[in-house]
Amino acid sequence: MAELSVKDVAVALYNGNIQTKFGRSEEEGNELLRKAILKTAGCENGWDKYVFEHNKHLVFKLLSEVLEEVVGEQLMQQYEAWVDYRSVALGDTIEFKVPNKDLFEVGMVADGTDNLRRQRILHGKVAMQSFQLGVKIYEEYVMFVMGKIDFVDMINRVAKSVNNALMRIVVKGIEQAYVPVGTEKYGYAGTYSDDEVLRVANNVEAKTGLKPVIYGTKGALANLRKSSQALWADADKNEFREMGHVGMFNGYQVVEIPNFMDVNDNLVLKQDELFIIPEGTKIIKLVNEGNAEVFESTDQHARLDNQIEYQFIQRFQLGVLKSNVYGVVIISQ
């Protein structure tokens, strides 16, 4: 597989575009990846338990690199509009500033005087929380002996599981940071109204001098301009058909935040909230710290059930950039 890298094939398979990127079918892509893993294990000419045992740490290293690439690829592609995703070495971090949106106070100066208070814009910092995500999987030992482990399926399932768990934490952070505001200027609760959303957005823009972006789940964003659908242009109709909501609302950009279920099968984000936040920065700061790890967590002889366990662990840092001025619209049914 000299012409194609293992990472590129894995990412293309994960995203379902192996045909468009490399002109290969999914079956061909799976076979390319399987052969690459077997070659790394020294078993390209047939499964050999002892050869695999000798080379298995090379296989774990390859799988960890592929999984790390797949996880990062999905995050960058699907959540680019509102997630700032970076990678750093283990133990390092990135200092993200919270831009101060306040304008300088300007006062009238009487002739012959110079009595003005000095002002300086002070920026804050995003508090980053470090944590690990991991998943443990197992397989019957005989499946390893016979060489019937579907590594492609394992990569996809582990990557999707990690991504879902990670994004549950991310959207929960948004819910906790952008709580409903107590002032009517930047908040509204009641029956949905385009006029009320526009009023809150206008107030946020007037206060900060920046156009706000309207964030929300698909269900919440579907309310925007719904009452005036009969007057929609074809572009708006196409957007609604493809995305489930309009892409612009009275000149303000609209960004969908995906929703996820928690461990109790409850939606993490409420379906009745719109977050109106000044533009100019991505609200989520997500850092991949260090390299992902894949390793065997038990010795096969230490288990009475003759099964083998493997773990995937990846460390992240998460911060939510909370603007000093923002709006929240809560829609009652």
Side-chain angles (χ1 to χ4, degrees), residues 162-219:
V162 171
N163 274 328
N164 279 357
L166 181 60
M167 295 316 297
R168 281 199 297 269
I169 297 172
V170 167
V171 297
K172 187 64 177 178
I174 297 174
E175 178 80 12
Q176 293 173 342
Y178 285 93
V179 297
V181 293
T183 171
E184 291 185 1
K185 284 187 174 66
Y186 308 112
Y188 169 74
T191 304
Y192 178 80
S193 166
D194 280 350
D195 292 337
E196 290 295 339
V197 176
L198 184 60
R199 178 186 63 79
V200 174
N202 285 340
N203 287 342
V204 172
E205 182 176 9
K207 178 66 175 179
T208 63
L210 298 170
K211 270 193 173 183
V213 178
I214 302 174
Y215 296 88
T217 63
K218 188 185 295 292

Side-chain angles (χ1 to χ4, degrees), residues 108-162:
M108 297 184 66
V109 182
D111 291 342
T113 66
D114 188 18
N115 186 23
L116 285 175
R117 180 173 62 87
R118 294 192 307 170
Q119 301 172 65
R120 181 187 178 193
I121 291 293
L122 297 176
H123 300 288
K125 297 177 182 178
V126 179
M128 301 296 290
Q129 175 189 4
S130 182
F131 59 94
Q132 285 190 149
L133 290 179
V135 56
K136 182 184 291 187
I137 60 176
Y138 78 95
E139 187 52 86
E140 299 294 338
Y141 178 69
V142 67
M143 298 295 287
F144 284 86
V145 174
M146 294 188 298
K148 293 187 176 181
I149 301 302
D150 190 340
F151 288 105
V152 175
D153 182 64
M154 184 195 75
I155 290 171
N156 286 340
R157 285 176 183 264
V158 169
K160 289 178 180 178
S161 300
V162 171

Side-chain angles (χ1 to χ4, degrees), residues 1 4-18 21-22 29-30 32-33 37 62-63 65-71 73 151-152 155-156 159:
M1 202 174 96
L4 297 177
S5 76
V6 177
K7 291 182 184 180
D8 289 342
V9 170
V11 170
L13 283 169
Y14 184 82
N15 292 325
N17 60 1
I18 187 76
K21 288 198 70 172
F22 302 117
N30 286 337
L32 285 171
L33 188 55
I37 294 172
L62 174 63
L63 292 176
E65 292 174 349
V66 170
L67 281 163
E68 186 176 317
E69 187 79 11
V70 170
V71 170
E73 179 80 7
F151 288 105
V152 175
I155 290 171
N156 286 340

Side-chain angles (χ1 to χ4, degrees), residues 19 40 149 234 287:
Q19 179 68 47
T40 303
I149 301 302
D234 289 340
V287 176

